[in-house]
Amino acid sequence: MATYHLKINGKIRPVNVDPSTPMLWVLRDHLDLPGTKYGCGIAQCGACKVHVDGVAVPSCQLPVSAVGKQAITTIEGLSARGDHPVQKAWIEHDVAQCGYCQAGQIMTAAALLKQNPKPTDEDIDAAMSGNICRCGTYLLIKEAIKSAAKETAGSSTRK
Amino acid sequence: MTTDKTTHNRRSFLKASLLAGGGMMLSVSWLSSAKAADKLKALNVPEQWSQLNGYIQITATNLVKLICPNPEFGQNVMTSLPMMVAEELDVDWKGVVVEMGPHDNTKLGPQFTGGSNSVRMYWKPLREAGAAARQMLREAAAQSWGVPVDEVTTKAGVLRHASGKSAKYGEMASKAATLPVPKGTKLKAPKDFSIVRKSKKNVEGPKIVTGKPLFGLDYRAPGMLIAMIQHPPAFGMKLKSFDASQTLKMPGIKDVFSLKLYEDGFEQGGFDTRTFNDLLVVVGKTTWEVMNARKKLKVEWEPAGDTKDTMTGRGGKREVTVPGELESTSAQLEKMQEWSKKPAQQLRKDGDPETAFKNAAQVIERTYNAPFLAHNCMEPMNFFAHVTDEKALLVGPLQAPGWTEPTLVKRLGLPADKIEIQMTRMGGGFGRRAYGHYLIEAALISKRAKAPIKLIYTREDDMTYGIYRPMYTATYRAALDANKNLIGFHVKGGGIPEHAIHANRFPAGAVENYLAEGWEIPSNITIGAFRAPRSNFNAAAEQSFLDEVAEAMGKDPIEFRLELLKRAKEAPVGKNNEYDADRYAGVLTLVRDKSGWNKPGNEKYHRGVAAYFCHNSYAAHVVDMVTRDGQPYVERVFSAMDCGIVVNPDAATNMVQGAVVDGIGNAFYGSLTHKAGAAQQSNFHNYRLIRHNEAPKKIEVHFVENDLDPTGLGEPPFPPVFGAVANALYKTTGKRQYDQPFKSVLDKRI
């Protein structure tokens, strides 16, 4: 067991866990942040993706001991009021069916748009193909990402 | 959305109408009531809900809460079912708060999510509940105002009288709740719908996109421990002995024990299906600790041998022998081939098929095979249980609480009114969560551990320890005369452990001489409903076969089917034909027209078509395939559906698109194989699901417009996708597909 002071959603959160514990379970079991989902535990489905210094990574493969000072953002911290352009676009397109994978999809999409504000269809496929949705909402996810990209571009033009 | 504690406790829920009261004179505007509900919650003001019936609660402050009876697994019932209530209640949808109901079959009906039945089953009762409540509110207003009830009108949650009197529903709710429930209240004609048929967004959308703890796996309770089961490495094995000493030394571990899911002689109902009866359980503080400690178990397993299960339900009480053999896929395929030659049970016979085949100028015979499929719900199986000597609380993802509760009563020895099952949102279901064995497991573990626990299946547990889609085969034969007329049709299907044949479905009824037969090979590999059970194989095999027959007859595949359906309508052969030939033809003509089938402009595509009827709805797809990077790729799909009235159009379109994507994925990749009883796939690295880059660029969904009572969409669009993909693959590669999955095509460059 070891104590870590993790920077999560803008706050320092102390945890005392085994160093090998994946961030997925630190978030879910120790920090009461269950928005990050368990799907496979082997980085194949993307349900557990969080931002580590702005990059979307599967938290099931990230041991707490490797986090250090890097800032972690989870779905709960993506925006203060659920109004990140990607979250808004997800509502606008009514993307979710069961909804279980969508936190991972949203985190991946948000990281993509940060890095590439005007992604092509191929860019979206490349960024999103690590995220599985058994309900098959891929088409709406793509539409929502394009809407979010437009909104982001629009608001930056206005500024 | 408000959380009203009283609605989560069945006993107080039943009494809720007696709590009808009011006096809450906070100024809350109707339109912002959803926000107002949050505000009230924040202020910790106790709400007093007047319960007009099991589905409708209204506060004096004019909050309207609609209770969704059926558990939600992504088919959007938490939105579509309350829409039906709201339609007849006549409230402004924007002000409505929706809450998942408690398990209470007396007040809330069957509460079963499955068989594409939710919308169909609740269409009438929910509208009646809305209409009755509206009538009670009008009656309350009439009495208060001293006017005849017929003169009281409603509009969007406001009661009015020509004299100028008006009141919001909330003002009359407590009085209305004391009035007798009217019967036979007239329901709206479809032309008057103002909520149904207008797209409404998922009521849980905002919670989903912000990561709120909606799912069973997210549920937590004070003092809750985590439990996992170590199951045998293969079907046909059982626990011999175990040494938990290393596991118990691991941090956070509380206990290791074994117990039996069902005692010897336990009478299993149809949905008591379970994988393994011996449970070797590790209980500890956190998920990661339990996962790691479980690996330290030293376990000896042994062959279970033939075992006996006592079954009840359909077919009456009987002993069933479960073979002990450690099965392998290759041997299963050989066995299926062998059995397919044996005499089988006749399921339907019209005319004289034997003579038709004897006299045929040409006989086309093809055999189709399909593997076991794992459900792969994105949220693995899990359930929370807190069982004491007095009562039990169970919380988690479950499709049919009413089917599992009787088993809990038997296994826990508690009366039903001491058992509370709360249904969380499910991270997928697809039939898997109709089998509540994991809930019983959780309950028994909690009882033994004397603690609140959450049982969690890892992905590997979920996949290798499943209730799978059976393994199927079917041989189809078509007899053509010298003029290439179809004079006979024969299907003989088998499966492990059950066949897929729907003997009374198309093309039964359309062919003069028809024979359907079935046979089954017992197995210890557990099976159950998987998104459109049986249909998901038939629509692949039969629709591929009909394509091939049409080709042999020199006919267009759509026109060929339409000719058969014309026959089925005008002079149906035999009895008990399950489908409506007009509606079946309707989706085919719609998809033909919308896709521009055989019209110029589509030369770029290799086109495959298939149609199917199941679970009371009709579906047809045209799949447009191209070769991309040397691989076949479904770039575009046109879908036509007939599910009667489309309650929530955008969500319905989403369901159909999802079923198409899921169908393409399963057609290309879906496969669970076994070696010496052990599943050969364990996680998403070796069980492929379709991914973003493989989904079509466009799926255009069209609905037949009619005013027929609505039927479901969770399953019907799924099965014909397999057939349409197979037929498009033939056009692309020149080769027919007889064995699912079709991934062998992907291994070769075209």
Side-chain angles (χ1 to χ4, degrees):
Chain A
M1 294 294 217
T3 300
Y4 300 90
H5 290 85
L6 302 166
K7 192 178 173 190
I8 295 174
N9 297 334
K11 287 184 191 148
I12 301 296
R13 305 281 305 265
V15 284
N16 184 32
V17 291
D18 185 275
S20 71
T21 312
M23 273 311 298
L24 168 64
W25 298 113
V26 173
L27 294 169
R28 291 186 58 85
D29 282 1
H30 299 272
L31 296 173
D32 199 20
L33 291 168
T36 303
K37 296 292 185 265
Y38 166 69
C40 68
I42 59 165
Q44 288 289 316
C45 79
C48 67
K49 282 194 185 171
V50 298
H51 294 177
V52 178
D53 279 346
V55 179
V57 299
S59 61
C60 71
Q61 295 300 304
L62 178 66
V64 61
S65 59
V67 174
K69 290 190 184 343
Q70 298 176 96
I72 288 183
T73 307
T74 71
I75 187 72
E76 292 93 340
L78 184 63
S79 63
R81 298 167 175 273
D83 56 358
H84 185 282
V86 172
Q87 287 168 314
K88 278 159 64 184
W90 245 248
I91 296 287
E92 180 54 34
H93 290 271
D94 214 6
V95 170
Q97 286 188 30
C98 86
Y100 191 77
C101 73
Q102 299 296 351
Q105 306 273 4
I106 288 169
M107 295 310 282
T108 311
L112 163 69
L113 291 180
K114 203 170 174 188
Q115 202 182 32
N116 178 358
K118 289 182 188 169
T120 62
D121 280 12
E122 289 68 30
D123 294 337
I124 295 173
D125 280 344
M128 301 301 298
S129 286
N131 289 71
I132 294 174
C133 172
R134 164 86 218 264
C135 299
T137 61
Y138 297 138
L139 277 77
L140 288 179
I141 287 174
K142 194 173 274 174
E143 280 180 29
I145 292 174
K146 288 178 181 175
S147 285
K150 256 185 215 155
E151 193 196 307
T152 314
S155 61
S156 57
T157 320
R158 279 199 294 277
K159 278 172 198 164
Chain B
M1 249 166 263
T2 55
T3 308
D4 177 358
K5 282 209 152 151
T6 60
T7 65
H8 275 286
N9 178 312
R10 191 190 316 176
R11 296 177 70 199
S12 32
F13 184 78
L14 290 170
K15 286 190 294 187
S17 57
L18 302 175
L19 299 172
M24 306 292 305
M25 296 306 289
L26 291 176
S27 169
V28 178
S29 85
W30 177 259
L31 285 174
S32 64
S33 63
K35 270 186 190 161
D38 287 343
K39 212 172 269 176
L40 289 173
K41 201 176 162 193
L43 293 168
N44 212 16
V45 177
E47 278 297 338
Q48 299 200 43
W49 297 96
S50 296
Q51 184 181 314
L52 277 77
N53 54 49
Y55 306 104
I56 301 165
Q57 298 175 28
I58 302 177
T59 64
T61 54
N62 216 18
L63 302 181
V64 176
K65 180 155 71 181
L66 302 182
I67 304 299
C68 177
N70 269 17
E72 173 70 79
F73 65 6
Q75 82 286 40
N76 214 11
V77 281
M78 277 190 78
T79 307
S80 58
L81 298 187
M83 281 171 72
M84 301 174 191
V85 181
E87 180 67 66
E88 292 290 343
L89 182 59
D90 193 11
V91 287
D92 188 328
W93 179 254
K94 278 184 285 208
V96 161
V97 175
V98 174
E99 191 172 274
M100 181 61 216
H103 174 221
D104 185 344
N105 294 146
T106 314
K107 269 218 147 64
L108 297 176
Q111 299 196 279
F112 153 56
T113 285
S116 300
N117 256 325
S118 296
V119 161
R120 174 173 171 256
M121 174 165 74
Y122 279 100
W123 174 242
K124 200 163 170 236
L126 288 185
R127 286 182 307 137
E128 282 173 349
R134 176 175 167 269
Q135 182 64 17
M136 289 154 79
L137 289 159
R138 287 172 72 211
E139 185 63 47
Q143 287 179 17
S144 301
W145 298 338
V147 301
V149 68
D150 291 350
E151 292 176 13
V152 179
T153 60
T154 64
K155 193 173 181 195
V158 181
L159 296 144
R160 288 185 204 282
H161 183 257
S163 61
K165 287 191 163 62
S166 80
K168 291 172 182 170
Y169 280 4
E171 296 168 50
M172 294 294 166
S174 63
K175 185 176 176 65
T178 63
L179 299 175
V181 178
K183 286 213 169 111
T185 313
K186 198 168 170 248
L187 300 177
K188 281 186 186 177
K191 67 175 172 51
D192 298 324
F193 289 158
S194 63
I195 293 175
V196 165
R197 281 185 161 159
K198 307 277 188 295
S199 292
K200 304 292 177 205
K201 293 199 190 309
N202 185 339
V203 296
E204 294 215 299
K207 290 183 176 181
I208 291 169
V209 304
T210 51
K212 295 289 180 294
L214 298 172
F215 300 92
L217 211 55
D218 304 339
Y219 184 84
R220 294 179 75 84
M224 183 183 88
L225 299 173
I226 300 293
M228 288 190 194
I229 297 168
Q230 178 68 45
H231 66 273
F235 285 93
M237 301 290 279
K238 66 172 184 172
L239 182 64
K240 187 179 179 191
S241 64
F242 67 94
D243 170 5
S245 53
Q246 294 304 310
T247 301
L248 287 164
K249 282 182 198 155
M250 296 286 283
I253 298 309
K254 299 280 184 188
D255 205 354
V256 177
F257 50 82
S258 70
L259 50 85
K260 271 189 188 303
L261 175 60
Y262 302 138
E263 299 290 358
D264 292 344
F266 176 81
E267 295 180 8
Q268 290 183 45
F271 286 84
D272 286 331
T273 306
R274 50 96 183 101
T275 47
F276 299 99
N277 207 39
D278 289 323
L279 311 177
L280 177 52
V281 183
V282 180
V283 180
K285 273 164 66 183
T286 66
T287 315
W288 184 245
E289 286 169 329
V290 176
M291 273 182 184
N292 283 322
R294 185 174 68 159
K295 291 180 190 153
K296 303 278 183 189
L297 286 170
K298 288 183 185 144
V299 194
E300 272 196 82
W301 310 99
E302 62 184 353
D306 291 357
T307 53
K308 293 236 185 285
D309 277 349
T310 308
M311 305 301 293
T312 58
R314 211 159 44 174
K317 188 176 161 183
R318 64 208 182 276
E319 290 250 301
V320 175
T321 301
V322 181
E325 191 184 336
L326 304 182
E327 299 176 37
S328 296
T329 302
S330 52
Q332 286 167 329
L333 278 166
E334 280 172 30
K335 210 182 210 178
M336 289 209 305
Q337 270 192 339
E338 190 188 312
W339 279 57
S340 68
K341 296 186 182 85
K342 294 184 187 178
Q345 187 196 354
Q346 182 178 304
L347 304 169
R348 170 165 170 155
K349 186 174 172 178
D350 298 319
D352 183 357
E354 290 83 0
T355 306
F357 276 93
K358 210 168 78 186
N359 297 339
Q362 185 186 354
V363 172
I364 304 166
E365 177 178 323
R366 300 287 183 264
T367 296
Y368 301 82
N369 297 305
F372 290 104
L373 295 177
H375 289 81
N376 294 327
C377 305
M378 292 309 293
E379 179 195 18
M381 298 307 113
N382 67 88
F383 229 88
F384 169 84
H386 189 191
V387 177
T388 64
D389 290 342
E390 291 81 35
K391 61 182 181 175
L393 170 66
L394 294 120
V395 186
L398 184 68
Q399 287 178 229
W403 297 350
T404 304
E405 190 185 73
T407 312
L408 276 172
V409 168
K410 280 193 256 179
R411 288 301 285 124
L412 297 178
L414 288 171
D417 66 357
K418 298 290 182 193
I419 297 172
E420 182 180 351
I421 302 175
Q422 291 181 16
M423 294 160 283
T424 58
R425 190 177 186 87
M426 289 176 264
F430 310 104
R432 176 65 181 88
R433 295 192 223 265
Y435 306 91
H437 64 94
Y438 53 95
L439 183 156
I440 314 292
E441 291 164 3
L444 294 173
I445 293 167
S446 170
K447 189 178 177 180
R448 164 73 187 257
K450 297 191 189 307
I453 65 100
K454 182 153 64 191
L455 170 66
I456 296 179
Y457 282 32
T458 61
R459 174 58 56 194
E460 289 80 3
D461 295 333
D462 190 274
M463 199 179 286
T464 60
Y465 190 10
I467 309 278
Y468 308 111
R469 195 281 296 266
M471 194 171 174
Y472 290 128
T473 187
T475 300
Y476 287 83
R477 294 163 71 222
L480 306 185
D481 68 13
N483 297 319
K484 300 217 179 275
N485 293 311
L486 179 64
I487 55 168
F489 192 92
H490 175 206
V491 56
K492 186 174 176 183
I496 300 176
E498 65 179 33
H499 70 71
I501 303 305
H502 288 288
N504 297 321
R505 294 233 181 119
F506 184 78
V511 189
E512 199 63 46
N513 304 297
Y514 174 92
L515 177 64
E517 300 173 284
W519 50 268
E520 298 177 336
I521 301 175
S523 170
N524 56 35
I525 297 173
T526 43
I527 60 99
F530 179 106
R531 196 172 204 168
R534 299 188 285 164
S535 302
N536 58 39
F537 170 67
N538 292 327
E542 162 211 299
Q543 291 291 308
S544 301
F545 184 65
L546 289 178
D547 207 66
E548 202 163 339
V549 174
E551 188 185 37
M553 295 167 78
K555 289 186 173 172
D556 173 85
I558 293 182
E559 293 310 315
F560 170 55
R561 287 170 173 83
L562 291 175
E563 281 172 22
L564 289 174
L565 287 162
K566 191 164 178 259
R567 166 73 206 264
K569 189 200 171 186
E570 289 172 357
V573 180
K575 285 179 189 162
N576 305 322
N577 298 325
E578 281 175 16
Y579 57 95
D580 178 321
D582 268 343
R583 297 182 75 182
Y584 207 131
V587 291
L588 271 164
T589 50
L590 184 61
V591 86
R592 179 192 65 192
D593 298 345
K594 294 293 181 186
S595 70
W597 182 258
N598 285 340
K599 290 269 159 58
N602 298 302
E603 294 74 13
K604 174 186 171 192
Y605 299 106
H606 302 292
R607 317 194 90 184
V609 66
Y612 202 70
F613 161 75
C614 71
H615 297 88
N616 306 293
S617 296
Y618 298 78
H621 305 296
V622 166
V623 157
D624 283 347
M625 197 174 272
V626 294
T627 300
R628 183 180 72 170
D629 302 331
Q631 306 280 336
Y633 165 62
V634 179
E635 189 175 279
R636 199 173 70 171
V637 178
F638 294 87
S639 302
M641 300 297 308
D642 182 353
C643 59
I645 289 165
V646 182
V647 175
N648 193 8
D650 285 353
T653 299
N654 189 355
M655 281 302 295
V656 178
Q657 288 186 337
V660 168
V661 171
D662 190 23
I664 295 169
N666 273 291
F668 274 116
Y669 302 117
S671 175
L672 187 90
T673 57
H674 292 88
K675 196 170 176 185
Q680 296 297 284
Q681 293 76 28
S682 58
N683 204 322
F684 298 135
H685 66 296
N686 56 10
Y687 196 117
R688 278 276 272 115
L689 297 187
I690 190 167
R691 291 178 181 271
H692 274 271
N693 58 326
E694 296 160 321
K697 290 197 170 120
K698 185 169 104 171
I699 301 172
E700 212 177 280
V701 181
H702 301 274
F703 292 94
V704 173
E705 284 178 27
N706 59 40
D707 286 343
L708 298 170
D709 284 355
T711 49
L713 279 175
E715 287 159 308
F718 180 68
V721 178
F722 290 74
V725 167
N727 296 336
L729 271 171
Y730 169 64
K731 295 281 183 60
T732 309
T733 66
K735 280 190 184 151
R736 291 280 175 189
Q737 297 297 317
Y738 301 108
D739 297 306
Q740 284 179 39
F742 308 142
K743 65 184 171 193
S744 63
V745 178
L746 298 178
D747 300 331
K748 298 175 207 119
R749 296 274 148 174
I750 296 165

